[in-house]
Amino acid sequence: MKGIPMQTGVLRVLRAIAASWWRHKELRRTGQSAQARQIERETVLRDLGYLRQAATLPNAHVICGDGGTFIHLGWTTVSTFAPIERFPLAALAVARGTPFIDIRSVTDVTAFANLPCVARDGSVDPDPCGPGRSVSLTTYIDLVEALGARIANDPRPRQST
């Protein structure tokens, strides 16, 4: 699904999310509808940018755990304390093909905390040990899957057994 142009349904969802924000509702209630519409447009454009990045960046992924849901976009992270079911932007990214790592079933928190980070720019650290180490997204998925995480939209090449 990556590379598919934004669909009307995506725009409808993003507009509905923006219009439902308490601040925008308050602006409308106080008669500042033009300002509310302008802020909503900016919000939708920002979120469209996030979705485009999620579809094109090599190590972009969505990860969901007990601490919330995060969309990792290289040097940018978009997050909320809510699960993915209550974070429509992350759900849209996953629906459009962004890899999704569900770590809610991981029980070994210490092992998870000691995993290396995903490389922000798509590069691979030649020495993936020590502080600040990073690995490719596919290597990270291998590591986290061994701890019990569930993966959707797996970017790893399929292996025949």
Side-chain angles (χ1 to χ4, degrees), residues 43-131:
T43 300
V44 168
L45 289 174
R46 181 200 64 209
D47 289 349
L48 281 172
Y50 291 149
L51 288 174
R52 285 187 180 109
Q53 285 181 321
T56 59
L57 294 175
N59 282 347
H61 62 283
V62 175
I63 190 165
C64 179
D66 291 333
T69 304
F70 302 84
I71 304 173
H72 292 280
L73 304 167
W75 293 100
T76 303
T77 299
V78 184
S79 66
T80 183
F81 291 116
I84 191 166
E85 295 83 9
R86 292 198 334 250
F87 189 16
L89 182 61
L92 283 171
V94 171
R96 297 190 75 241
T98 302
F100 174 58
I101 305 168
D102 188 349
I103 60 170
R104 291 177 283 191
S105 59
V106 173
T107 56
D108 190 348
V109 179
T110 305
F112 178 75
N114 288 321
L115 290 177
C117 297
V118 175
R120 294 177 187 260
D121 59 359
S123 64
V124 178
D125 194 347
D127 184 23
C129 59

Side-chain angles (χ1 to χ4, degrees), residues 110-160:
T110 305
F112 178 75
N114 288 321
L115 290 177
C117 297
V118 175
R120 294 177 187 260
D121 59 359
S123 64
V124 178
D125 194 347
D127 184 23
C129 59
R133 59 199 167 128
S134 60
V135 296
S136 69
L137 178 60
T138 55
T139 302
Y140 183 79
I141 288 173
D142 290 337
L143 297 170
V144 78
E145 192 174 45
L147 296 174
R150 289 178 286 148
I151 311 300
N153 301 331
D154 195 338
R156 297 174 291 185
R158 301 281 185 245
Q159 298 176 352
S160 58

